[in-house]
């Protein structure tokens, strides 16, 4: 492939850094949230999801 064609393809991804950042950040937030909830001493006030 020529450099011009590769650059035009790559140029189509306008928000690649935002996508990558969110795809890493969101699972980590859920992971740490689940870890926090699982280590809570008093879990009586939590709602159980069935």
């Amino acid at each position: 492939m020529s450099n011009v064609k590769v650059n035009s393809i790559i140029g189509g991804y306008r928000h690649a850094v935002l996508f990558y950042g969110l795809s890493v950040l969101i699972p980590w937030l859920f992971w740490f949230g689940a870890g926090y909830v699982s280590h809570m001493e008093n879990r009586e006030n939590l709602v159980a999801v069935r």
Side-chain angles (χ1 to χ4, degrees):
M1 291 181 122
S2 68
N3 283 341
V4 174
K5 188 171 184 178
V6 171
N7 286 337
S8 66
I9 293 171
I10 293 174
Y13 295 99
R14 294 176 295 185
H15 304 289
V17 175
L18 176 64
F19 173 77
Y20 178 76
L22 290 176
S23 69
V24 171
L25 180 67
I26 291 171
W28 276 83
L29 289 175
F30 279 108
W31 184 267
F32 284 114
Y36 173 76
V37 169
S38 70
H39 283 86
M40 289 176 62
E41 294 293 327
N42 184 6
R43 288 189 243 169
E44 296 172 0
N45 296 332
L46 294 178
V47 176
V49 178
R50 296 180 189 201

